[in-house]
Amino acid sequence: QVQLVESGGGLVQAGGSLRLSCAASGRISSTYAVAWFRQAPGKEREFVAGMLWRGGSTSYADSVKGRFTISRDNAKNTVHLQMNSLKPEDTAVYYCAADGPLRIRVPLTEVEYHSWGQGTQVTVSS
């Protein structure tokens, strides 16, 4: 089982930036997939960005392409989500998720992930 802890959320003005971090512990290997989802009030949880832990494959929701970047720090077992040019519609609780082993692509739906963090709030003011 993999344990995930998010950090880095907060309040930022539109146009600003935030970097979220997800610290992973437990039996995570290079064949895992990790992803960020978000859930705004009254809306379903949606995929934001994901990658294979070993690198080389990333996926982004159309709404964040060109603004958000997912990356990992292998030495610290941490995944980051760099969010630039933030918009009020990016306001949500952001969750880190992981699944594996033996993933060869990045899953895009929440039902495919079996390890979740507790979430971190991101609020973008206009």
Side-chain angles (χ1 to χ4, degrees), residues 3 16-17 22 26 30 39 41 44 57 59 62-63 67 75 81 84 90 96 106 108 112-116:
Q3 293 78 44
S17 298
C22 172
S30 63
Q39 187 168 21
E44 294 186 351
S57 178
S59 294
D62 288 342
S63 58
R67 301 188 298 124
L81 184 68
N84 299 328
D90 294 318
C96 180
V106 178
L108 303 180
E112 298 179 89
Y113 290 88
H114 297 90
S115 296
W116 291 85

Side-chain angles (χ1 to χ4, degrees), residues 8-72:
L11 173 65
V12 64
Q13 288 188 332
S17 298
L18 278 176
R19 189 173 85 151
L20 305 183
S21 297
C22 172
S25 61
R27 302 182 63 180
I28 192 165
S29 70
S30 63
T31 58
Y32 266 69
V34 290
W36 289 93
F37 285 75
R38 67 186 181 187
Q39 187 168 21
K43 295 188 176 181
E44 294 186 351
R45 197 177 309 190
E46 63 175 358
F47 175 84
V48 175
M51 67 180 298
L52 296 180
W53 190 261
R54 66 174 181 266
S57 178
T58 57
S59 294
Y60 294 93
D62 288 342
S63 58
V64 306
K65 279 181 183 177
R67 301 188 298 124
F68 290 12
T69 303
I70 188 171
S71 63
R72 85 224 182 277

